[in-house]
Amino acid sequence: MPIYTRYIAVDDMGYYDVSVAYTNMAISVVFFEIWSAVLRYMYDKDTVEGKYSAAKSGGTIFLASALVYAAGFTFFGSVLKISHWELIALQGFAQCAVSFYTFSARGLNHNVDFAVSGILSVLTSAGVNILLIVYYHKGFTAMYYGYIISALVQIIYLEMRTGLFRGVRKTFWDKAETGKMLLYALPLCVNTVSYWAMTGFNRLAVNWLMGNSANGILAIGNKFGTLITLVTTCFTYAWQDLSFSKAKETDTRSEFYSQACNTYARFLFCGMLLLIPVCHIAFNIMITNPVYAEAESTIPLFLLVSVLSAISTFIGNVFYAVKDTKTIFFSTITSALINMAIVFPAIKLWGMNGANIAACVGFICNTLIRTIILHKKIGFAFNYTNLAVLLIAFCASFFVFQTITNSGAVLLLAVTTVFAAWIFRKEIANITKKVRK
């Protein structure tokens, strides 16, 4: 972030952010989130050959989608004369290819290789960005190159470790399975588009009402939100594996899913409350360009959006586990419509923060719908009282954050630490007893 804010103009940062938002929309429509379907079908296979067969079925759909994606980007990029459309298209395709390979690697039980590939990708992206931005002065286009090259490194490593492409080539193509997988993935496509409508659409709304510079400022604020995403992504992947394995245990799954989701929600909220003052201090150290100063006020709500999104996704994976994608579709499209209905007046009232406020309302509605349906379906019990208390605690931290100095942030950190200890008092007491024994 110090490099981005020092060397990249705020308008250019905004253009990059908007291009990513449009690309994610195109990916959601064209690729059906087929990698999620591949992973789900891989879990049903007992042999490596069967897993490769599932990957081939999904890979067939992926390749067809890639052709449509390439044709669409070539047409619209040329006709509309979109600046750097080739790089934008390549970054989007690289994102999809990485998703397909990483989900397939997980399906093949190469979880360690999946984690290592992510580390290699991050290091490569950082190295390319520093080289191109600082030494070759490529500006914001360096971010496209950084992602594309890092994705290529990640895919090459995963292929070397999993032999996915080699295994798929030798496998018989099951046309019937491909058709079933496509039908399974279609609701996921609508779900992904609806999810984009709660996140990416809001960025476009800011762009339409406030311009590229506002998106550039939001992009920096969003970087702090990814601190939550880094943690939640790890939990989500592990939770997918665990929730799918528990789906057949009908006698105990309700209690298991309820306890896991409630604990996860408390953990994320407490982690966010601790991060808010830390981000205040970190922002003042890392961001020295006054043009980006306004981004600081957006950080708490970006963190909240990440937390609420993670909770919604966590609960949503329970529906994946019981193969009920229709509820995911219904809950996501309903909350997306709510978000889209309020985002424009919210931005007019609260500026850039209005986009995140609308997203928060959307994700809260999404979570409520899913927990209510899941309760009727399997007896799932979500603790709404805890959620209300944690939201009130966030509101208090948010208003304090807007006015505190670095010394005040240290005090806020101490207060939130005590609050988090109180929230987890039972767990801390149990750990203490075990340690004493």
Side-chain angles (χ1 to χ4, degrees), residues 91-336:
Q91 175 172 299
F93 179 74
Q95 180 181 331
C96 296
V98 165
S99 294
F100 190 90
Y101 253 89
T102 53
F103 275 61
S104 297
R106 290 169 56 208
L108 291 166
N109 298 318
H110 281 260
N111 291 321
V112 174
D113 291 321
F114 161 66
V116 172
S117 74
I119 295 171
L120 289 174
S121 175
V122 168
L123 293 175
T124 303
S125 178
V128 172
N129 275 317
I130 292 171
L131 182 67
L132 295 182
I133 293 174
V134 177
Y135 296 100
Y136 287 92
H137 307 290
K138 291 294 183 181
F140 76 100
T141 59
M143 292 187 283
Y144 296 116
Y145 287 112
Y147 189 93
I148 294 165
I149 294 171
S150 66
L152 185 61
V153 169
Q154 188 171 7
I155 290 169
I156 291 172
Y157 173 81
L158 287 174
E159 175 58 32
M160 292 172 60
R161 297 296 298 171
T162 66
L164 178 65
F165 180 73
R166 289 164 286 169
V168 165
R169 283 184 62 190
K170 298 175 183 177
T171 304
F172 173 75
W173 176 40
D174 189 339
K175 295 181 181 179
E177 184 180 55
T178 302
K180 291 178 182 178
M181 193 176 291
L182 180 60
L183 290 175
Y184 177 85
L186 283 174
L188 300 182
C189 167
V190 181
N191 174 67
T192 306
V193 172
S194 300
Y195 181 86
W196 174 87
M198 286 196 291
T199 52
F201 179 81
N202 290 17
R203 294 185 183 184
L204 299 185
V206 169
N207 184 257
W208 296 334
L209 293 177
M210 303 181 70
N212 278 346
S213 60
N215 279 97
I217 292 169
L218 274 179
I220 295 302
N222 186 45
K223 297 293 182 185
F224 287 88
T226 58
L227 292 171
I228 295 287
T229 306
L230 289 173
V231 176
T232 59
T233 300
C234 299
F235 276 98
T236 298
Y237 289 151
W239 177 240
Q240 282 179 334
D241 295 342
L242 190 57
S243 62
F244 288 171
S245 67
K246 292 285 185 178
K248 296 178 182 179
E249 300 177 12
T250 55
D251 294 335
T252 59
R253 64 182 183 179
S254 175
E255 182 181 356
F256 172 76
Y257 290 147
S258 300
Q259 184 177 356
C261 290
N262 283 314
T263 303
Y264 186 64
R266 287 188 295 140
F267 170 75
L268 287 184
F269 262 96
C270 288
M272 174 192 63
L273 292 173
L274 293 170
L275 271 177
I276 287 174
V278 172
C279 287
H280 178 87
I281 297 170
F283 185 92
N284 288 306
I285 293 173
M286 291 192 296
I287 311 300
T288 57
N289 188 340
V291 174
Y292 288 95
E294 195 176 351
E296 184 178 7
S297 65
T298 68
I299 292 173
L301 284 170
F302 267 119
L303 293 173
L304 181 61
V305 169
S306 297
V307 166
L308 294 173
S309 171
I311 294 171
S312 171
T313 301
F314 201 78
I315 297 171
N317 277 316
V318 178
F319 288 99
Y320 285 127
V322 298
K323 294 186 176 180
D324 179 10
T325 54
K326 292 180 181 178
T327 298
I328 295 176
F329 160 73
F330 169 74
S331 61
T332 308
I333 198 169
T334 301
S335 50

Side-chain angles (χ1 to χ4, degrees), residues 26 30 65-80 82 85 89:
V30 176
S65 298
L67 291 174
V68 174
Y69 174 84
F73 244 109
T74 301
F75 175 78
F76 287 108
S78 303
V79 172
L80 300 178
I82 300 171
W85 69 265

